[in-house]
Amino acid sequence: MGTAAAEDVAGLSPDDRRDEITGYVNRMQRTRVEELAEIFGVSAMTIHRDLDHLAKDGRLERIRGGARAITARLAERDVKLRRHLHAEIKQKLAATAATLIEPDAVIALDDSTTVGALGAHLEARQPSTVITHSLALMGIVSSLPNIALVGLGGQYYQETDSFLGSIVVEQAQRLTADAVFVSTTAIKNHALLHPDAEAALTKRSLLKMGGRKILVVDSTKFESSGMYHVMDLGEFDDIVVDDGLDAATRTELQRLGPRIHIATTSTKANS
């Protein structure tokens, strides 16, 4: 971050400064308190308070003398951390995926934090009904007067902030949707995978509701590890992915048959 950039962050409100700090730590992977104090023109004590606040929110990890970015491996264990991992890319993916929601459609949304970002677009897109097992999305949809909510309940899991398991699957089997939006933690060998058996089973049950199957996923998930098969990529109608995906993988996806929708990210634009 050069002098001009340092001038840009001078005098920010605490919330805006913390947003900028989070972005800086994510770019640099790790940084020290003294470096942040110099960049943002505040005292080291202020930076300590900012980092403590951000760590409590799960937006970064505190280390001795500074902070480091939340890794995908660490974030996978905690939904609070996952919501902040690649947050800007998730927002871009959600904005692109939202254009696939038809007015008055019945849509199903899984409990992934990537699909969860669609919550901000539901009021504008006006589906007639949202089906979900995500508690966070239930809270969003319940506040929208013109959209009906069908919540899939069962055993609640705090680490995913959602309901999972056989009861959710049984409920999903009785429902149909015009479009189903899902994401995952791993894509390999032309298939959607997930490290958790119950989560994989629940995603599979949502996708069997019929209608348009839409995968929303960031490019870092390709060639990641996962144990349980959810669905082959060729069975999807649409794949929404960011422009960090390499050209060879993009060509391979197109060969499999789904329509590919590319979300332009600032990371790519500024590279």
Side-chain angles (χ1 to χ4, degrees), residues 219-248:
S219 56
T220 67
K221 301 301 189 295
F222 286 82
E223 298 306 313
S224 296
S225 298
M227 184 179 299
Y228 298 97
H229 181 270
V230 178
M231 180 170 282
D232 290 341
L233 294 181
E235 297 181 68
F236 282 90
D237 299 288
D238 301 85
I239 296 177
V240 180
V241 66
D242 63 271
D243 54 6
L245 191 67
D246 64 87

Side-chain angles (χ1 to χ4, degrees), residues 95-138:
T96 301
T99 65
L100 305 180
I101 300 175
E102 300 289 343
D104 298 322
V106 176
I107 65 171
L109 306 177
D110 80 353
D111 64 344
S112 64
T113 56
T114 301
V115 169
L118 276 167
H121 301 274
L122 295 175
E123 186 172 17
R125 299 304 301 178
Q126 285 295 303
S128 67
T129 305
V130 172
I131 303 168
T132 187
H133 60 116
S134 162
L135 187 59
L137 280 171
M138 289 180 195

